[in-house]
């Protein structure tokens, strides 16, 4: 099979012929049809993001594909089935605290690196070996729409945060980073889940206007100024009532100040979920005041990705018409153009834009 290979951090991808993967027990092999390219793929491949990926590796993070071959223990999936390939691979020998690897992308800790020895290669290839439980059936789709369906991978990230918060219909959510790629996806998912109001702060007026145009009056945008206390008050004022939940998805480029401004808008007994990259490449830590947390009984939690059951539920939200994948602008590249795809993704990130490699 053909694959785009990352041999060293900082080197371009090279397209090579690799042996076809064979499924063992617990695995299956997928023909990759569409693999999304994140805007910060180039940053990850340069080494700047300090991701843990043993090289050489076929990179990428999640895909849409068709099952090619299943292992002996598969009971439902069959060759030809369309599936979402979830990159979140969990070790199977510790149900309570599994090691986690994002296949083709990064790993958490020593155990993650060990798991990565088997599930290392990602979807920038014609075929990919994945754990059987990471293939989520999509049902029939138009092959031409495979790139569009890959946007599910972006929507799943904030959905994981909203599930972690126990977000409920009718509640008010504030999305810190709402004008970003994953933040705007959070706005879409929260509305699909029945949010009463979504507060969407940001600095980019054009993107804020686009959010209002797309989603209407349940979204309340706020122009940020960078002054922490003033911004916090403006965000609180914009909400229809107390803010039940805050979801942060700011990138490492941002410092802790806008995160703190957003987090501290939450009401007493509210929930704050941290999913962004702030502090991941250095810089100040998020300092939330102990007395504020304690007196207001605020819950703060981090969330990496989403639980496996989130996939079927999110696909159901799309199938029900509550999330419209037609709202995404999709740009597609062939595998031979993998480096062009990475460069394109870097300059065409942001809301509702997805770059895809179709191997
Ligand atoms: N936890 C997880 O499972 C998970 C999964 C995937 C990704 N992530 C993380 O999600 C993060 C966001 O990724 P992304 O692709 O959505 O990023 P992105 O599109 O680049 O996000 C940009 C957003 O950050 C805002 N921003 C940037 N610098 C800022 C600053 N100094 N002050 C205030 N706002 C600032 C931008 O606002 P303006 O419009 O005002 O410029 C925009 O809303 C990444 O760090 C990624 O690692 C986490």
């Amino acid at each position: 099979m053909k694959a785009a290979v990352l041999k060293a951090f900082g080197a371009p991808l090279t397209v090579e012929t690799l042996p076809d993967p064979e499924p063992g027990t617990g695995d299956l092999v997928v023909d990759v049809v569409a693999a999304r390219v994140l805007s910060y793929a180039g940053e990850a491949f340069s080494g700047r993001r300090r991701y843990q990926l043993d090289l050489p590796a076929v990179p990428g993070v999640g895909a849409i594909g068709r099952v090619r071959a299943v292992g002996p223990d598969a009971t439902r999936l069959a060759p030809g089935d369309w599936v979402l390939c979830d990159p979140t691979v969990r070790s199977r020998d510790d149900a309570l605290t599994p090691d986690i690897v994002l296949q083709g992308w990064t790993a958490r800790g020593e155990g993650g690196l060990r798991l990565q020895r088997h599930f290392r290669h990602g979807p920038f290839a014609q075929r990919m070996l994945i754990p059987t439980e990471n293939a989520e059936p999509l049902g029939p789709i138009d092959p031409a729409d495979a790139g569009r369906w890959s946007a599910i991978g972006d929507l799943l990230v904030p959905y994981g945060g909203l599930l972690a918060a126990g977000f409920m219909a009718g509640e008010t959510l504030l999305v810190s980073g709402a004008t970003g790629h994953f933040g705007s996806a959070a706005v879409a998912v929260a509305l699909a889940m029945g949010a009463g109001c979504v507060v969407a702060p940001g600095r980019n007026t054009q993107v804020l206007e686009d959010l209002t145009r797309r989603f209407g009056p349940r979204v309340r945008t706020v122009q940020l100024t960078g002054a922490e206390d003033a911004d916090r008050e403006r965000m609180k004022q914009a909400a229809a009532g107390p803010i039940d939940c805050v979801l942060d998805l700011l990138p490492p480029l941002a410092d802790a100040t806008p995160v703190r401004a957003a987090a501290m808008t939450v009401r007493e007994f509210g929930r704050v979920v941290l999913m962004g990259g702030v502090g991941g490449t250095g810089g100040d830590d998020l300092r939330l005041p102990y007395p504020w947390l304690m007196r207001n009984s605020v819950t703060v939690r981090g969330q990496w990705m989403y639980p496996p059951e989130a996939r079927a539920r999110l696909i159901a939200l799309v199938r029900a018409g509550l999330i419209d994948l037609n709202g995404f602008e999709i740009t597609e590249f062939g595998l031979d153009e993998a480096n062009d795809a990475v460069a394109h993704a870097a300059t065409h990130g942001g809301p509702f834009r997805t770059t895809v490699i179709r191997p």
Side-chain angles (χ1 to χ4, degrees):
M1 67 163 184
K2 268 179 22 173
V5 181
L6 182 67
K7 290 189 169 157
F9 289 113
L13 300 170
T14 52
V15 177
E16 299 185 358
T17 302
L18 298 184
D20 273 346
E22 294 289 336
T25 303
D27 305 329
L28 53 78
V29 171
V30 168
D31 284 320
V32 179
V33 181
R36 75 201 207 285
V37 185
L38 296 184
S39 65
Y40 48 89
E43 238 180 83
F45 302 163
S46 75
R48 249 179 302 146
R49 286 233 169 183
R50 304 179 194 166
Y51 282 176
Q52 300 289 310
L53 180 62
D54 263 347
L55 300 180
V58 177
V61 64
I64 299 296
R66 297 192 88 153
V67 175
R68 182 181 180 83
V70 296
D73 55 336
T75 59
R76 307 255 172 124
L77 288 166
D81 286 351
W82 283 98
V83 288
L84 168 79
C85 305
D86 181 358
T88 324
V89 177
R90 296 171 175 86
S91 59
R92 296 158 171 157
D93 44 1
D94 186 339
L96 197 59
T97 49
D99 290 307
I100 299 183
V101 58
L102 296 190
Q103 192 175 348
W105 201 244
T106 188
R108 188 184 70 187
E110 275 302 308
L113 283 169
R114 212 166 304 135
L115 183 60
Q116 200 184 65
R117 284 185 210 143
H118 187 56
F119 294 113
R120 174 153 95 248
H121 298 307
F124 291 1
Q126 288 175 320
R127 289 182 259 295
M128 179 172 53
L129 178 86
I130 65 172
T132 308
E133 67 272 21
N134 281 50
E136 189 67 46
L138 281 173
I141 68 165
D142 181 342
D145 284 341
R148 196 165 292 291
W149 277 96
S150 72
I152 291 233
D154 298 334
L155 295 158
L156 269 168
V157 168
Y159 189 43
L162 293 167
L163 292 177
F167 186 70
M168 288 187 286
E171 287 198 308
T172 292
L173 172 74
L174 184 143
V175 181
S176 165
T179 50
H181 185 68
F182 287 104
S184 56
V187 175
V189 174
L191 293 171
M193 291 171 76
C197 171
V198 180
V199 181
R203 300 168 304 176
N204 185 323
T205 316
Q206 215 180 333
V207 177
L208 292 173
E209 283 172 4
D210 181 58
L211 287 174
T212 307
R213 183 187 57 75
R214 279 174 187 266
F215 297 117
R218 276 196 292 159
V219 172
R220 310 271 178 97
T221 62
V222 180
Q223 185 83 41
L224 291 178
T225 63
E228 183 176 342
D229 291 343
D231 280 346
R232 183 178 306 116
E233 277 319 301
R234 288 157 63 84
M235 288 187 272
K236 281 185 179 176
Q237 293 300 322
I243 294 172
D244 301 294
C245 185
V246 172
L247 176 59
D248 177 71
L249 276 156
L250 283 177
L253 256 183
D255 62 32
T257 310
V259 185
R260 191 168 47 245
M264 292 182 70
T265 62
V266 85
R267 67 166 166 85
E268 285 173 44
F269 302 97
R271 297 96 77 200
V272 177
V273 179
L274 305 175
M275 293 195 83
V278 168
T281 54
D284 273 352
D285 205 353
L286 175 66
R287 284 172 288 107
L288 291 174
Y290 190 125
W292 173 79
L293 286 166
M294 186 272 287
R295 293 234 166 77
N296 296 309
S297 303
V298 169
T299 302
V300 180
R301 68 166 282 180
Q303 178 67 27
W304 196 28
M305 303 301 276
Y306 41 82
E309 63 272 17
R311 303 177 310 223
R313 291 191 195 152
L314 190 76
I315 291 166
L317 288 176
V318 173
R319 290 283 186 200
L322 292 161
I323 296 175
D324 183 8
L325 297 180
N326 290 315
F328 282 82
E329 180 190 312
I330 311 292
T331 311
E332 299 186 337
F333 291 83
L335 191 58
D336 290 330
E337 308 161 306
N339 289 303
D340 298 334
V342 171
H344 181 273
T347 51
H348 294 78
F352 309 110
R353 298 206 284 195
T354 300
T355 302
V356 167
I357 290 178
R358 288 191 70 126

